[in-house]
Amino acid sequence: MPYRVAFNLIRAPFSPEIEPQALFQSEAFTQCRARLDYVRRERGLAVITGEVGAGKSAVLRAFVRNLAPSSYLSLSGAVPAVPGPLRPVVEGWLEQLGEKLPFNNLARCLHMLHENLGALYEKGRQAFVILDEAHLLDNRSLLQLKPLLNYDMDSRLPLALVLAGGPKLARPLSLPPLEEIRQRVLFVYPLPGLKRTEMEPYLASRLKYAGCERQLFPPEIIDEMYRHTQGIPRRVNQLANLCLVAAASNRLQQVDSACLLQALEEMGLAEETRREAF
């Protein structure tokens, strides 16, 4: 990044490429991690929802990284925007398990996955399975997950399955056609963005990660940044990054209102700001 030299940074502070242990421990992050730990212990189905950029994938990656490989097997996949989206994901999980895939047969794939995960549990390892972008699943695809959730009535599931996706993922689960799935859900957690009071420490922690110990964003600038991003981490990162580019270009030691306006213009948000000024 061009501003790294200007601010003497060792890395880009607002890049998505950040080590899980360096992630900011916001209240939402902590609450989500606690719920993931609950589903890990209890086993079963859980749902995490949130706006694009809220940090669902980040908290899931950080959580899985701390699972002991000797006791847990992590399987993850993202639902593609294609017809029949569940099959390629399940096939990907089977490939990770080293299984030979049946040709174009989702039911057989799900049965094989069911058997593999059950056998894995009998050997002392629990599967922690993540299905990201799950809002792209239609009702039929969600119902096709039932074989993974059907075990003996007197025993708990030998796996944890987490569906992560946009806010609209919660709606079909509340409707009668998916009653069979909803009854198996331990919780639905809507992941919020940062609080306003978390913005300053969030920005400071990311700058510290990049080697900068001083705050480059004045409080009044942070107020405006929060108003435009609503604390959604990805939006905050994008706006903060563009603000630093503008500040470096103007040889400033801190971000000012002109830098913020320039950054908002580059994000396509400046017109909204101008309308509100009149």
Side-chain angles (χ1 to χ4, degrees), residues 22-65:
L23 290 169
F24 180 71
Q25 304 296 305
S26 67
E27 181 178 331
F29 185 96
T30 302
Q31 290 287 341
C32 189
R33 187 174 58 188
R35 285 163 173 78
L36 292 172
D37 197 50
Y38 171 69
V39 74
R40 174 195 63 80
R41 294 193 314 270
E42 295 299 316
R43 306 191 298 273
L45 174 63
V47 178
I48 306 291
T49 66
E51 298 288 346
V52 173
K56 300 181 295 296
S57 298
V59 69
L60 285 165
R61 285 197 307 270
F63 182 82
V64 166
R65 181 168 178 153

Side-chain angles (χ1 to χ4, degrees), residues 54-231:
K56 300 181 295 296
S57 298
V59 69
L60 285 165
R61 285 197 307 270
F63 182 82
V64 166
R65 181 168 178 153
N66 288 326
L67 295 177
S70 59
S71 300
Y72 295 92
L73 172 68
S74 171
L75 296 175
S76 62
V79 178
V82 298
L86 188 59
R87 183 168 63 85
V89 177
V90 175
E91 288 178 345
W93 288 337
L94 286 174
E95 287 178 335
Q96 291 179 56
L97 292 169
E99 288 289 338
K100 184 176 180 180
L101 301 180
F103 178 72
N104 196 25
N105 191 329
L106 177 58
R108 177 60 181 159
C109 284
L110 285 165
H111 177 75
M112 290 174 63
L113 184 61
H114 178 282
E115 294 296 313
N116 269 266
L117 300 184
L120 185 75
Y121 186 74
E122 291 297 322
K123 295 177 182 177
R125 292 181 77 196
Q126 178 184 320
F128 195 92
V129 184
I130 297 169
L131 185 54
D132 207 352
E133 303 294 335
H135 57 273
L136 295 176
L137 295 174
D138 55 19
N139 286 6
R140 181 170 180 271
S141 296
L142 286 165
L143 285 170
Q144 287 173 324
L145 289 171
K146 278 178 56 180
L148 292 183
L149 307 173
N150 289 336
Y151 283 84
D152 296 335
M153 293 295 292
D154 59 350
S155 64
R156 291 186 297 167
L157 296 180
L159 73 149
L161 173 59
V162 179
L163 305 184
K168 69 178 184 179
L169 172 60
R171 176 165 172 73
L173 292 173
S174 68
L175 301 176
L178 292 178
E179 176 71 19
E180 297 172 273
I181 299 296
R182 184 170 68 251
Q183 289 180 3
R184 293 163 167 82
V185 177
L186 293 177
F187 62 81
V188 177
Y189 179 65
L191 181 67
L194 299 165
K195 295 181 175 180
R196 168 60 189 90
T197 54
E198 294 176 320
M199 283 285 288
E200 186 169 347
Y202 174 80
L203 294 168
S205 75
R206 296 295 292 246
L207 288 169
K208 184 176 180 180
Y209 172 72
C212 179
E213 294 286 347
R214 63 189 181 91
Q215 182 58 280
L216 302 180
F217 299 87
E220 64 274 14
I221 296 297
I222 295 176
D223 285 338
E224 285 298 300
M225 291 175 69
Y226 181 77
R227 189 166 67 86
H228 286 285
T229 64
Q230 293 301 299

Side-chain angles (χ1 to χ4, degrees), residues 228-246:
H228 286 285
T229 64
Q230 293 301 299
I232 299 299
R234 188 180 299 166
R235 297 179 197 164
V236 173
N237 291 343
Q238 183 181 7
L239 183 56
N241 182 70
L242 292 172
C243 282
L244 290 184
V245 171

